[in-house]
């Protein structure tokens, strides 16, 4: 029985950020287990998952996950990435979902008791503060176990509760036996959306980025 039977919860998952954080900690998120975990903590009203996708590609490596989430209890919010040329003349692809997440959170704030934000992005500090002013408790899930930490200090301090993702590994992590074989991971590495690489390039470090590239294409959770 849930210890908070009247606790109305909404999850807001920054897809690219959570992916990078879990990869830094060396495990994969089992989204079926994630949903069950928070359903056990109260009344789960919504579980939003935000991700930008490359629309003009014939195949997107994140599409199987998006499709699975959409059919298995998540409210999936996507938009197309945008291309631009940086100051060094390099082609970059970016996909930022901050505005979409913030709008949904503000609209839902009056209907929930707790907001659970899966992100370490410091840009969300103002959103967390605004939601708190409406009487909502905010839990932020990221990690300080990595070097550097994946969560911005200002976001961590603003949250009512900070939970390190490493503490949830036993509850949210995918069984290692479900991982792809190394050769299969390498064959699919090139299909990782570039915006996932660009968004977390500085944080992950060269060796961690290589691991992320090898491990992203896993297909839908089980």
């Amino acid at each position: 029985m849930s210890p908070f039977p009247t606790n109305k919860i909404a999850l807001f998952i920054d897809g690219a950020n959570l992916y990078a954080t879990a990869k830094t900690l060396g495990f994969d998120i089992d989204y079926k287990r994630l949903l069950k975990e928070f359903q056990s903590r109260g009344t789960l009203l919504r579980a939003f998952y935000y991700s930008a996708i490359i629309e003009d590609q014939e195949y997107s490596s994140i599409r199987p996950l998006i499709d699975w989430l959409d059919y298995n209890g998540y409210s999936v919010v996507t938009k197309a990435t945008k291309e631009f040329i940086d100051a060094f003349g390099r082609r970059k692809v970016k996909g930022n979902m901050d505005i979409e997440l913030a709008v949904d959170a503000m609209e839902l704030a009056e209907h929930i008791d707790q907001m659970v934000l899966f992100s370490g992005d410091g840009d969300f500090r103002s959103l967390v503060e605004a939601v708190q002013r409406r009487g909502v408790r905010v839990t932020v899930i990221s990690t300080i176990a990595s070097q550097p930490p994946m969560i911005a200090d200002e976001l961590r301090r603003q949250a009512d509760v900070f939970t390190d993702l490493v503490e949830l590994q036993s509850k949210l992590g995918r069984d290692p036996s479900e991982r792809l074989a190394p050769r299969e991971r390498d064959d699919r590495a090139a299909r990782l959306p570039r915006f996932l690489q660009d968004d977390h390039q500085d944080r992950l470090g060269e060796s961690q980025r290589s691991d992320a590239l090898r491990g992203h294409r896993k297909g839908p959770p089980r």
Side-chain angles (χ1 to χ4, degrees), residues 19-28 142-146 150 164-167 169 179 204 208 211:
Y19 166 75
T21 302
K23 276 299 166 189
T24 298
L25 296 174
F27 71 95
D28 301 316
S142 185
T143 190
I144 57 172
S146 59
M150 293 295 286
D164 200 303
L165 186 62
V166 73
E167 298 173 9
Q169 181 173 353
R179 291 173 178 265
L204 287 176
Q208 293 168 322
D211 179 67

Side-chain angles (χ1 to χ4, degrees), residues 116-162:
V116 181
L117 175 64
F118 285 82
S119 183
D121 191 341
D123 290 343
F124 288 125
R125 189 209 65 79
S126 296
L127 169 64
V128 169
E129 183 181 24
V131 170
Q132 289 169 329
R133 287 198 299 266
R134 286 157 174 77
V136 178
R137 300 187 310 278
V138 180
T139 295
V140 172
I141 298 177
S142 185
T143 190
I144 57 172
S146 59
Q147 289 297 329
M150 293 295 286
I151 185 169
D153 187 58
E154 62 270 24
L155 179 62
R156 183 186 175 196
R157 286 187 279 109
Q158 186 66 48
D160 294 296
V161 177
F162 166 70

